[in-house]
Amino acid sequence: MATSNNSSSCQQASQGRPQSHLTEIRQQIKHEVEQIKEAKTKMHDRVRRVRHPVFRDLNPVDQLLPPACEDFLDNGLVLDAIETHPTVALPEYFSFNSAETSTLLSILLDSNHTRMTRLLNRVHLRAMLRDDRYYQILDDPQLYFRSKCTDLPCFHNRVVLYLTSIGVLIYLKQTTALSLLVRVHSKGVLPRTPKMINRRENRQPRQGQPQSDFASAKAYEKKKAEKMLPFFNVYAFQYATYVYCYEGDIFRFQLDYLMVRREYQDAVPIMLDMGWLPNSPSVLLYRRRYYQYMTPFLDWVDMIRYHLRTNPTISITGFYERLIDIGGVDVDDLRYFGRSMLECVELRKLTKANCKEKQLRGLYAGRRVYKDRDARCPAVFADAFKQHQGVIRPVLPHACSPLRRFLVHLNYYDRDNMRSLAQVLALVDSMLKMEFFTMHPICSCTDIWQEPLVFQIYDFVYSMRQGTGNAMVYLRNQPWEEISSSEDSLAWYQRWDVFNCICLLFSIAQNAIQCDQDESTIERIVDQLIEVLCCSKFLESFVAYSYFDVYLGLTSAVNSVPNISLSVLMRVLRTTPFHLAANSTVICILGTFSDRFWRNTVKDSHGRIVSESDKSPRSMEEISQFLINRSRRCCVQKVPVPDTIDSKSGMSAMGSTGAV
């Protein structure tokens, strides 16, 4: 009875509680549940932020991108200007054993190409060739050809590729099928003429279900936009897995990279017809479990230089000649890379106003301008440089040709092994045949090419041009857009690029001697140097003046030779007479040098000029004897500077002859 009475009393007490108290309990429980959910969400976000599917153990991706990310949008890349961490994943694809992949391979590998033509003529079957359909194939060309195939895999035989139809054709090197696809691509790319657009807009619509004007206009614009798109994109992404990690990785690239990896030079003209731009940037994206790495390329030169590290036997000359023959790039094309600071020699003519020593008037005083310290000069020449109070460190636009960039790769990045030496030297031979080193007529109209190298560099660095508002400005201070649009300014920058190529060839020759290369290889580099010097009209500056003059010139370029040895330079100078006698005629040799070079000066024992003859040699024996016995002019003379660290300041005695 007591228990029943207690239970009944509790029920009555609970029934007697106010309703508001139960509501507060429910709200409190609900609030606690929301807090738990919010805490779980924050923890999930934190774990997701800390343990992203793509970890980055290497450098941040945004530091590996070029400064202008928006340039990649022109190639169809899914990369916004603010998106510095793009992700990569495999698209939907047809497997290796699927009927679609087998059908496509059988059609593309058919030597008759009748089925290929039939496929292109049927619109409903062209969907197999669209750029959004990927096919899984194995990286082993021997699996797809019945006859013996000697082609090596693109990466290695354990890689699985996911390519579009154009990627499969490039991988299999099917030139005829690619040519057939160009016709379809051109039909899809060509826009409609205004006459065709007006005819379609004025055509009466078909009778169908009634729809609003907005819906009909939207459907028409969508249909029109789809038909204006190209049939396939030449910049479509291609994928590969198990490239560097057998546990699984993803490597994303484009068709031009696949073409270079397969060394498929016949695809260059076809790619250009499809709308490929060789000078456009591209990106390689590699993803593994713990990091994601991006490698940007500025143009085709960067791509081949990147590929030279792993495959130094790739034919650079073949790709470059194809691009030049079709008109994809120009021979004298210069790529602008910003601005660079230069080390050079500043020259001032000594006159009555700036020189107290009468015996020095009429000569030139020079001081070396360094990047990292102040330029100094002897006290005798201090007044000559008073007009420039500060240190003059010239900064000029840095524009390079493709040949110079390949020479830079060999000289700086492949300096220890020199594995790409044969390919770069073959490219130099090809550029000699294309007259890349020939001096421009604008530069040949002046007598600057007859002067020492120091004088030529000084004239280029301190040359004045008429700028905006008829104001005279330095050529180096003009924007690159104005320089590239002016034929006169561009001609001097092309000559400056050739001079830097010569400096790089001297450095490569010295490095080849230090690395104990074959004697035939060293002789080939020396012969190429002499040919380049003859074509560019720099040979007279090397032969007519002393070693110290040439040393100052070679150390004043952007790609300078800081520690050039006398043995390398003397080897080139000793070989020059024999090379000219064996490979040139008398008329060609006489045209290589100026009339002033052939002056025969006779001196007495005191160094005074006794007689001087302007008669040029007439036979090959006289030319060889003249080049061997000719005394060199000493342009720059050292002046002792006890109170300064610059021991290369000096004066120039242009016009007077002397011994080394």
Side-chain angles (χ1 to χ4, degrees):
M1 288 294 294
T3 305
S4 62
N5 292 332
N6 292 334
S7 62
S8 61
S9 62
C10 291
Q11 290 178 2
Q12 291 176 3
S14 62
Q15 290 177 2
R17 288 177 182 176
Q19 189 70 21
S20 59
H21 182 67
L22 297 176
T23 306
E24 290 177 0
I25 295 175
R26 292 192 187 98
Q27 290 179 356
Q28 184 178 1
I29 295 174
K30 185 177 181 181
H31 180 67
E32 293 177 355
V33 171
E34 290 179 355
Q35 287 183 350
I36 293 173
K37 288 183 178 180
E38 185 177 359
K40 288 183 177 180
T41 304
K42 290 182 179 180
M43 182 61 67
H44 176 72
D45 294 339
R46 182 179 179 183
V47 173
R48 186 179 181 183
R49 186 166 58 251
V50 175
R51 298 197 58 185
H52 194 269
V54 180
F55 295 93
R56 295 175 177 86
D57 297 339
L58 299 180
N59 297 330
V61 183
D62 52 355
Q63 297 180 6
L64 304 175
L65 286 177
C69 300
E70 57 270 9
D71 294 343
F72 290 85
L73 297 175
D74 299 336
N75 297 344
L77 299 180
V78 187
L79 182 62
D80 297 331
I82 59 175
E83 184 186 1
T84 58
H85 299 281
T87 57
V88 59
L90 283 179
E92 297 182 1
Y93 59 90
F94 297 105
S95 62
F96 178 78
N97 297 324
S98 63
E100 291 81 358
T101 306
S102 302
T103 304
L104 180 70
L105 290 175
S106 63
I107 293 176
L108 298 183
L109 293 174
D110 193 354
S111 59
N112 193 9
H113 297 292
T114 305
R115 299 169 61 192
M116 184 70 181
T117 307
R118 191 182 306 166
L119 173 66
L120 296 176
N121 291 334
R122 296 182 180 181
V123 180
H124 64 281
L125 293 179
R126 291 183 186 176
M128 296 178 60
L129 306 176
R130 294 192 65 89
D131 57 353
D132 56 350
R133 298 204 172 190
Y134 289 85
Y135 301 91
Q136 183 188 42
I137 62 175
L138 302 179
D139 190 8
D140 191 0
Q142 299 179 2
L143 297 176
Y144 308 105
F145 296 95
R146 297 180 180 177
S147 58
K148 293 184 179 180
C149 179
T150 58
D151 289 349
L152 298 176
C154 184
F155 299 97
H156 51 82
N157 54 9
R158 295 186 181 183
V159 172
V160 181
L161 300 173
Y162 304 87
L163 308 176
T164 59
S165 57
I166 307 300
V168 175
L169 284 173
I170 293 177
Y171 180 81
L172 299 176
K173 298 183 179 181
Q174 298 295 315
T175 308
T176 307
L178 271 174
S179 303
L180 294 175
L181 281 179
V182 171
R183 305 174 187 175
V184 180
H185 178 72
S186 61
K187 291 180 181 178
V189 169
L190 289 177
R192 296 188 180 94
T193 60
K195 185 177 180 180
M196 297 173 60
I197 295 175
N198 294 333
R199 189 187 308 168
R200 290 180 61 88
E201 290 179 352
N202 297 329
R203 189 174 60 184
Q204 295 295 331
R206 296 180 181 179
Q207 297 295 332
Q209 297 181 356
Q211 55 183 351
S212 62
D213 296 337
F214 177 79
S216 60
K218 189 175 181 180
Y220 174 76
E221 292 296 334
K222 182 179 179 181
K223 184 177 180 181
K224 180 180 177 181
E226 290 178 354
K227 290 190 175 182
M228 293 296 291
L229 290 175
F231 190 72
F232 46 81
N233 186 12
V234 72
Y235 294 103
F237 291 133
Q238 316 295 317
Y239 299 89
T241 55
Y242 305 102
V243 180
Y244 301 108
C245 180
Y246 295 150
E247 296 180 358
D249 57 1
I250 303 175
F251 184 63
R252 192 184 74 181
F253 52 94
Q254 291 177 287
L255 293 175
D256 50 0
Y257 183 78
L258 179 64
M259 176 182 64
V260 172
R261 292 283 304 191
R262 290 288 291 154
E263 301 183 23
Y264 186 24
Q265 302 174 9
D266 294 336
V268 173
I270 302 175
M271 291 279 289
L272 291 174
D273 292 340
M274 293 180 185
W276 175 54
L277 301 176
N279 291 327
S280 60
S282 59
V283 171
L284 297 181
L285 193 60
Y286 178 75
R287 175 183 176 182
R288 206 160 64 185
R289 180 180 177 185
Y290 294 107
Y291 68 90
Q292 177 171 308
Y293 189 83
M294 178 179 290
T295 305
F297 299 137
L298 291 177
D299 52 4
W300 67 277
V301 179
D302 272 0
M303 188 179 302
I304 295 183
R305 287 172 58 184
Y306 179 81
H307 190 50
L308 276 174
R309 301 186 307 169
T310 56
N311 185 14
T313 61
I314 182 175
S315 178
I316 309 173
T317 309
F319 283 102
Y320 197 15
E321 288 180 350
R322 288 297 184 93
L323 289 172
I324 293 175
D325 294 340
I326 303 168
V329 295
D330 297 331
V331 180
D332 52 357
D333 187 19
L334 298 179
R335 180 87 184 200
Y336 177 64
F337 293 98
R339 305 179 70 85
S340 61
M341 185 177 293
L342 187 67
E343 288 187 3
C344 64
V345 177
E346 186 182 4
L347 301 174
R348 288 290 177 266
K349 189 173 183 180
L350 301 179
T351 60
K352 184 179 180 180
N354 57 23
C355 183
K356 298 179 181 179
E357 302 291 337
K358 295 183 179 180
Q359 66 273 14
L360 300 178
R361 294 173 184 174
L363 306 180
Y364 285 87
R367 63 173 180 175
R368 198 67 191 267
V369 179
Y370 295 96
K371 296 179 182 178
D372 54 351
R373 65 174 184 260
D374 296 342
R376 301 182 183 180
C377 62
V380 182
F381 309 128
D383 295 336
F385 299 96
K386 242 178 202 179
Q387 54 183 337
H388 299 291
Q389 298 294 337
V391 178
I392 306 300
R393 294 187 177 94
V395 179
L396 67 159
H398 185 54
C400 300
S401 61
L403 174 61
R404 181 178 167 189
R405 295 166 65 184
F406 284 116
L407 290 173
V408 166
H409 172 81
L410 175 60
N411 187 47
Y412 296 109
Y413 302 102
D414 197 13
R415 188 177 184 86
D416 298 332
N417 301 321
M418 302 188 74
R419 297 190 300 172
S420 58
L421 177 62
Q423 302 300 328
V424 175
L425 294 182
L427 182 61
V428 175
D429 289 334
S430 177
M431 292 295 102
L432 283 169
K433 296 178 182 178
M434 296 182 184
E435 299 181 353
F436 169 77
F437 301 100
T438 305
M439 184 169 58
H440 199 276
I442 295 177
C443 303
S444 61
C445 292
T446 62
D447 296 336
I448 299 175
W449 60 277
Q450 306 173 14
E451 304 294 337
L453 296 177
V454 178
F455 280 67
Q456 295 189 36
I457 296 173
Y458 175 80
D459 186 81
F460 170 73
V461 173
Y462 292 95
S463 59
M464 305 289 289
R465 292 293 185 273
Q466 186 174 0
T468 58
N470 297 328
M472 299 301 292
V473 296
Y474 287 113
L475 175 62
R476 65 176 186 267
N477 293 335
Q478 287 184 338
W480 178 249
E481 291 76 12
E482 297 181 5
I483 295 174
S484 58
S485 59
S486 175
E487 184 180 1
D488 177 64
S489 302
L490 189 61
W492 288 106
Y493 270 94
Q494 290 171 357
R495 182 165 177 79
W496 174 251
D497 181 80
V498 170
F499 178 69
N500 282 273
C501 291
I502 293 173
C503 296
L504 288 169
L505 284 174
F506 267 102
S507 181
I508 291 171
Q510 179 173 338
N511 189 34
I513 295 175
Q514 295 175 355
C515 294
D516 296 333
Q517 293 286 336
D518 297 338
E519 190 66 24
S520 59
T521 304
I522 300 175
E523 291 180 358
R524 182 184 178 187
I525 300 175
V526 173
D527 292 340
Q528 285 186 348
L529 258 173
I530 298 174
E531 289 292 336
V532 171
L533 291 173
C534 292
C535 294
S536 58
K537 295 297 184 67
F538 278 110
L539 185 60
E540 183 170 346
S541 301
F542 278 83
V543 175
Y545 298 97
S546 65
Y547 162 76
F548 187 70
D549 299 324
V550 179
Y551 174 84
L552 280 180
L554 293 178
T555 55
S556 299
V558 175
N559 302 114
S560 59
V561 191
N563 297 318
I564 184 171
S565 61
L566 179 62
S567 60
V568 178
L569 183 59
M570 295 307 298
R571 182 164 186 165
V572 175
L573 296 178
R574 285 197 305 264
T575 314
T576 299
F578 305 101
H579 180 85
L580 294 177
N583 299 280
S584 302
T585 60
V586 176
I587 299 177
C588 294
I589 296 175
L590 293 177
T592 304
F593 302 93
S594 61
D595 296 335
R596 188 179 65 178
F597 177 78
W598 301 109
R599 293 176 183 173
N600 189 10
T601 305
V602 180
K603 296 182 180 181
D604 57 7
S605 59
H606 299 285
R608 292 174 296 187
I609 299 176
V610 177
S611 63
E612 188 173 0
S613 175
D614 294 339
K615 184 179 179 181
S616 302
R618 299 299 180 184
S619 63
M620 190 65 68
E621 295 180 359
E622 295 179 359
I623 292 176
S624 302
Q625 186 177 2
F626 181 86
L627 293 176
I628 294 174
N629 299 328
R630 185 183 186 279
S631 58
R632 306 182 187 279
R633 284 178 284 184
C634 187
C635 169
V636 180
Q637 302 173 0
K638 287 186 179 181
V639 173
V641 188
D643 55 340
T644 60
I645 58 175
D646 187 4
S647 62
K648 294 180 181 178
S649 298
M651 56 184 178
S652 169
M654 275 298 303
S656 62
T657 59
V660 178

